[in-house]
Amino acid sequence: MEPVERASPRGGDRRGSDLGPGTDQAKVRRRSTKAEQRAETIEQMLDEAEYLFSKHGLHGVTLKDVAKRVGVHHTLLNYYFEDKKSLFDAVFARRAVVTSERRMKALDDYEKAAGGKPTVEGALHAFLDTDLDLYIHGGEGWKNYGALGALVANTPEWGAELMDSHFDPVVLRLIDLLKKALPDCAERDIFWGYHFVTGALMVTLARTGRIDKLSGGVCKSEDFEAIKARMASFMAAGFLQICNKPA
Amino acid sequence: MEPVERASPRGGDRRGSDLGPGTDQAKVRRRSTKAEQRAETIEQMLDEAEYLFSKHGLHGVTLKDVAKRVGVHHTLLNYYFEDKKSLFDAVFARRAVVTSERRMKALDDYEKAAGGKPTVEGALHAFLDTDLDLYIHGGEGWKNYGALGALVANTPEWGAELMDSHFDPVVLRLIDLLKKALPDCAERDIFWGYHFVTGALMVTLARTGRIDKLSGGVCKSEDFEAIKARMASFMAAGFLQICNKPA
DNA sequence: CCTTTTATTCACTCGCTTGTTAGTTAATAT
DNA sequence: ATATTAACTAACAAGCGAGTGAATAAAAGG
C-alpha cells in the first residue's frame, strides 16, 4: 500500500517510541496523566483510521495499517475497540454528532429568523453552508471525514444503516422546513429533491479530483467555497421547478 | 458473509448463450464448443463478480467468493484474469462502453433534432434518460452495475481514474451541448452544474434504500422512473439559476 | 510503600487469500 | 486416431489479518 502515508502532513509530530529529533526527546513522551494519555491515544487512532478508511474503505484497511501510522502495536487497537467495524463506527460517529447538531441548530435558528416564511433556498443554505463550513475550516480531519461519509452513503452493505442512525433527525428537520416553504408541493417531490441534494453533497465531499481533470483545472475538487456559492440556489431552483410543475 | 447469495435470483435466467430456460436441466452443462464455453464462463464470472463487488466493494470480495457463486474452482479466476483488480476493471468496462456509446449517440441525435437551439433540459434528458432506461430495462445485471458505478465514483483511491477513462468523452459531449444551450454562462458554472448532476445520479444508482426509510415508503430507491420524471427538469432549473445569476 | 490498575507489547493461533505447479479431462486439428 | 491445445481442478506454499492471553512496566491509590 504505497509509501508511508500520514494523516498529519507535519513530520514533527512524532508518535510512539520515536525518541525523536532535536530538543526534548524524552520529554515528548507522556508526562500526562493516564486518563489524558488514553484519550490522546484513542484520538490519534481515530484520526489515522479516519484517514485510511476514507481512502481505502472499511475492507481496504487493516488494523496493522492503522497501528503503524499511530506508532503502536496493532493489538492495542483491539484493546480499545471491540473490532474493526466498531473502530469504523467510532470514527464515523465522532464527527457525525457534531455536524448533526450544528445543522440542527442552524435549521432551528433559520426558522426563527424567517418568521412564518421560510424559503427553500434559505433552508438549504442553513443545511448546506453549516456543513460545508466545517469541512472548509475544520482542517484535514474534517476533510477526511467528508470523504468517508461519501463512501458510506454509497455503500449498500451497511451504509444506509449508519446514515440513518446519525442523520435522520436533521434530514427530517430539513424536510419539515422545505414542506413549510413549499406548502403545495407533493411530499414525494420534496423527498426526491432531497435525494438530489444529498447526492450532490456526497460527490462534493468525496473530492475524487475528477472535476479537476474534466474541467481542465477550471474547477477544483477542494474548492468547497465554490460549492457553497452555488449549491443552495441551484437546488432551490430545482425544487421550485418540480414542485410547481406537477407532471 | 451471509447466506448463499446469487446474482440471478431466478434459476432460469442464465446469461450469455441462453440454452433455454426451464426444460433440459442436465443439458445445461457444457455441450458447446470450447470458444463458447470460455465465453460463457467468463460472462458468468463477470456477472457474479459484478454482483459481489457492487455490494461489498473491491476489497470486500475474495476470488473464492466469486468462484463459489460461479460454481468453479477459485484458481480458474486466476486463469482468466491477471488478478482481482483486473477482474474488477473488466466488470466495469463491460457495461461502461455500452452506456457510454448509447449516451453519446443520444446526445448526437438530440443535437441534430434540436437544430441550432438545444436546451439544457433537452440535453439532460438525452444524457440521463438514456442511461436510466438501461437500468430500468436491462435486468439485474445493469442494476448491479449501477450500484458499482456509484461506489467507484466515490472511491478516491482509483475511482476517478476509472471514471475518467470511460466517461470523459460522453461527459465532455454533454458539457459541449450545455455550453451551446447556455452561451452566456461561465464555464465554471457549467462544470459545477454537471458535478451536481453526476452526484445525484450516483446516489440514485447506489440504491441504498435510504430514501425508502426516510420517506416512510413514499419514495423507493428502486423507482428509477420517478427519477427520470424529475431529474432533468430539476437540474435544468438549477443550471439556469446559477448561470443567470452570476454571483 | 506496596498493591492494584491500566497502558502497552509479545508470542502465538487460526482461518483465510492469493498464487503456483502439476495434473486431468475433453475438444480441435491434422 | 492421435497429438495438441484448452478448460478446468487438486494439492500445496506462503503469508497475512484479526484476535487472544499472558507478560511487563509504569502510574494510581490507599
Side-chain angles (χ1 to χ4, degrees), chain B residues 6 41 44-46 48-49 65-72 77:
Chain B
R6 295 207 113 257
T41 302
Q44 276 171 232
M45 287 174 171
L46 292 176
E48 303 298 337
D65 293 337
V66 179
K68 186 183 296 174
R69 289 173 58 87
V70 177
V72 298
L77 282 154

Side-chain angles (χ1 to χ4, degrees), chain A residues 54 56 151 153-154 157 164 168 188-189 192 195 199 203-204 210 213-214 218 220 230 234 238-239 241, chain B residues 54 56 151 153-154 156-157 164 168 188-189 192 195 199 203-204 208 210 213-214 218 220 230 233-234 238:
Chain A
S54 78
H56 313 292
L151 222 57
N154 287 278
E157 225 179 339
D164 291 352
D168 271 10
R188 279 173 60 91
D189 291 319
W192 284 126
H195 175 80
V203 242
T204 298
R210 174 153 164 68
K213 278 179 274 177
L214 198 71
V218 171
K220 304 278 290 160
R230 290 163 177 80
F234 182 105
F239 271 101
Q241 175 69 22
Chain B
S54 77
H56 313 292
L151 223 57
N154 288 277
E157 225 180 340
D164 290 352
D168 271 9
R188 279 173 58 91
D189 292 319
W192 283 126
H195 175 80
V203 242
T204 298
T208 61
R210 174 155 164 69
K213 279 180 272 179
L214 199 71
V218 171
K220 304 278 291 161
R230 290 164 177 80
S233 70
F234 183 105

